[in-house]
């Protein structure tokens, strides 16, 4: 799945020349869809590895590693916040398939937003163009959320429920 | 306790990555991209080949127009040559002029296999590399003679171009018919516009005027078209113009490009470095 997402990101989404505002970062679906029982250290290291692969293939100087590692680190906290349960412990939700549609939507939205805030603000490295950065972030996030939502609905949900 | 270790590891990874990102330049990024291209370039080439298929019609039309334009120029040269044959002195000067213009620049063609416009630091990958005679610092233009960028990294079979749409790109440009020049850069906003700054307030400028390479940059021969003046304002100090330039090339629909090598570049660069060193040594007590 990780490889598919990286290939889609690099060969399809990075080549969509619609606008400089539209840059959906869909490969974060890999981090979003990691099993919930993955240990925090492995979640973070796998996220770092994903960022590193994208950085090497797109020539970005560590930007994806920074954003992905942070997302991997904060994922347990985001999961707790959107689901209301701790990812570990007695009341833990054991799998993504147990999420209601509402929780799934907010989980995807929060993860995509957390990643893209770090990515786009670090890329612009300036407060001068803050409105442009916010617009880029919103337009790109809508594209990424829609893609990941349908990716989950069409391909992943059936696999998770088995 | 484990969470503390995860936290420490997080801080460590982020520190290393932030440090690397802060010190990375377009040069280091192009090097990484060149190496990645030598492994994954074939895949990018295949994907772009499919995309390329759908633009062949438009591309053929552009090339036909370009051929017609060059035929026209060739006819002028032929006529001059025929006239010069009656004047041996004139012929010699014409011959030397042609020889100079041919010997300073070497041209080659390439096809784009990957390009982006959605980053602040965009790059273009070409399907020609060291084994095809492509070297760093070659200028890249469209088949219709419009500026695209210059080569910053090469692998054996692929090369990476720093295009106009990269916030690290800098070159020198001027308005056609005026000798004042300014610095061209991209502010990262529109993929259809670049900016020119430090253009003297004495420059004769109007909206719609053509902006070309000044020839002061070693990469681009003088006269390479960049775009057209979209708007201009005097800067805060009222000393120079800030100009918004509408690009002549549609950077979102590029397929084939021409590469130009300035054969004198190495010699000029070496001379400048030598002069720089001599200057530093001379200034030391």
């Amino acid at each position: 799945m990780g490889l598919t997402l990286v290939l889609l990101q690099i060969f399809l989404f990075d080549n969509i020349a619609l606008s400089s505002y539209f840059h959906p970062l869909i490969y974060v679906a890999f981090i979003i869809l990691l099993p919930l029982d993955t240990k925090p250290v492995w979640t973070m290291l796998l996220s770092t590895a994903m960022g590193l692969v994208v950085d090497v293939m797109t020539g970005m100087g560590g930007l994806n590693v920074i954003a992905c590692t942070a997302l991997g680190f904060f994922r347990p906290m985001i999961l707790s916040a959107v689901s209301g349960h701790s990812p570990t412990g007695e009341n833990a939700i054991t799998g993504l398939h147990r999420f209601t549609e509402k929780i799934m939507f907010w989980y995807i939205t929060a993860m995509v937003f957390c990643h893209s805030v770090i990515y786009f603000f670090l890329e612009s490295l300036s407060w001068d163009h803050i409105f442009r950065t916010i617009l880029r972030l919103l337009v790109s996030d809508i594209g990424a959320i829609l893609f990941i939502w349908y990716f989950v609905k069409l391909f992943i949900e059936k696999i998770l429920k088995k | 306790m484990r969470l503390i270790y995860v936290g420490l590891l997080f801080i460590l990874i982020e520190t290393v990555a932030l440090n690397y990102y802060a010190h990375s330049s377009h040069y280091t990024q192009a090097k990484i991209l060149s190496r990645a291209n030598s492994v994954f370039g074939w895949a990018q080439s295949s994907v772009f080949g499919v995309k390329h298929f759908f633009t062949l019609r438009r591309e053929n039309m552009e090339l036909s127009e370009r051929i017609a334009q060059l035929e026209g120029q060739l006819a002028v040269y032929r006529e001059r040559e025929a006239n010069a044959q009656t004047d041996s002195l004139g012929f010699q000067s014409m011959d030397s002029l042609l020889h100079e213009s041919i010997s300073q620049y070497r041209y080659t063609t390439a096809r784009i296999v990957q390009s982006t416009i959605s980053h602040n630091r965009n790059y273009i990958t070409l399907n020609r590399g060291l084994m095809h005679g492509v070297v760093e610092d070659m200028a890249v233009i469209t088949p219709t003679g419009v500026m695209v960028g210059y080569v910053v990294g090469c692998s054996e079979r692929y090369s990476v171009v720093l295009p106009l749409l990269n916030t690290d790109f800098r070159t020198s440009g001027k308005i056609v018919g005026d000798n004042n020049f300014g610095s061209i850069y991209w502010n990262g906003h529109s993929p259809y516009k670049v900016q020119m700054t430090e253009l003297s307030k004495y420059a004769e400028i109007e909206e719609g005027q053509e902006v070309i390479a000044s020839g002061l940059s070693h990469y681009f021969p003088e006269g390479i078209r960049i775009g057209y003046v979209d708007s201009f304002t005097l800067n805060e100090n009222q000393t120079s113009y800030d100009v918004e330039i509408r690009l002549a090339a549609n950077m979102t629909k590029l397929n084939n490009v021409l590469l130009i090598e300035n054969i004198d570049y190495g010699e000029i660069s070496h001379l400048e470095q030598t002069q720089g060193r001599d200057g530093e040594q001379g200034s030391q007590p």
Side-chain angles (χ1 to χ4, degrees), chain A residues 4 24 26 63 75 77 100 112 114 120 137 144 154 157 161:
Chain A
T4 312
I26 58 101
L63 191 56
R75 190 179 94 133
M77 294 157 227
T100 61
V112 168
C114 174
F120 286 117
L137 195 151
L154 291 173
E157 220 165 51
K161 279 179 180 170

Side-chain angles (χ1 to χ4, degrees), chain B residues 37 87 115 123 137 139 170 206 213 224 239 244 267:
Chain B
N37 283 332
D87 174 8
S115 86
Y123 294 95
D137 302 326
R170 293 288 182 280
E206 283 176 30
I224 294 286
T239 52
E244 197 79 2
E267 195 177 331

Side-chain angles (χ1 to χ4, degrees), chain B residues 1 46 48 105 116 135 145 164 168 173-174 181 256:
Chain B
M1 196 64 186
S46 309
F48 217 86
Y105 297 106
T116 59
V135 289
L164 275 159
D168 287 341
K174 64 178 186 180
F181 56 87
N256 294 313

Side-chain angles (χ1 to χ4, degrees), chain A residues 10-11 14-15 20 22-23 41 44 48 56-59 61 65-66 69-70 73 119 122-124 129 132 136, chain B residues 6-7 9-10 13-14 17-18 20-21 29 32-33 36 40 43-44 51 114-120 188-189 191:
Chain A
I10 292 163
F11 296 124
D14 278 4
N15 280 306
S20 59
F22 187 68
H23 185 207
V41 68
M44 195 175 70
T48 307
V56 168
M57 289 188 73
T58 57
V65 169
I66 297 166
T69 306
F73 181 73
Y119 184 96
L122 261 180
E123 194 192 24
S124 75
H129 310 302
R132 180 183 178 268
R136 262 187 99 193
Chain B
V6 176
L9 189 60
F10 168 66
I13 295 170
E14 290 290 43
L18 275 165
Y20 183 79
Y21 181 62
Q29 291 186 0
I32 295 170
L33 206 50
F40 304 107
Q44 289 173 338
K51 196 178 164 188
Q114 205 206 4
S115 86
T116 59
I117 61 157
S118 52
H119 300 283
N120 279 351
H189 290 200

Side-chain angles (χ1 to χ4, degrees), chain B residues 103-150:
Chain B
S103 65
Q104 192 181 353
Y105 297 106
R106 186 173 64 82
Y107 290 78
T108 186
T109 58
R111 192 159 59 85
I112 291 171
V113 294
Q114 205 206 4
S115 86
T116 59
I117 61 157
S118 52
H119 300 283
N120 279 351
R121 285 174 167 178
N122 294 297
Y123 294 95
I124 294 173
T125 305
L126 304 178
N127 70 338
R128 292 279 184 273
L130 293 169
M131 66 186 283
H132 307 102
V134 176
V135 289
E136 284 180 20
D137 302 326
M138 281 179 99
V140 182
I141 63 170
T142 66
T144 52
V146 180
M147 186 185 287
V148 173
Y150 56 85

Side-chain angles (χ1 to χ4, degrees), chain B residues 10-44:
Chain B
F10 168 66
I11 292 166
L12 181 72
I13 295 170
E14 290 290 43
T15 308
V16 172
L18 275 165
N19 186 50
Y20 183 79
Y21 181 62
H23 291 95
S24 74
S25 64
H26 69 264
Y27 184 75
T28 51
Q29 291 186 0
K31 287 283 169 209
I32 295 170
L33 206 50
S34 295
R35 295 212 176 129
N37 283 332
S38 53
V39 181
F40 304 107
W42 61 271
Q44 289 173 338

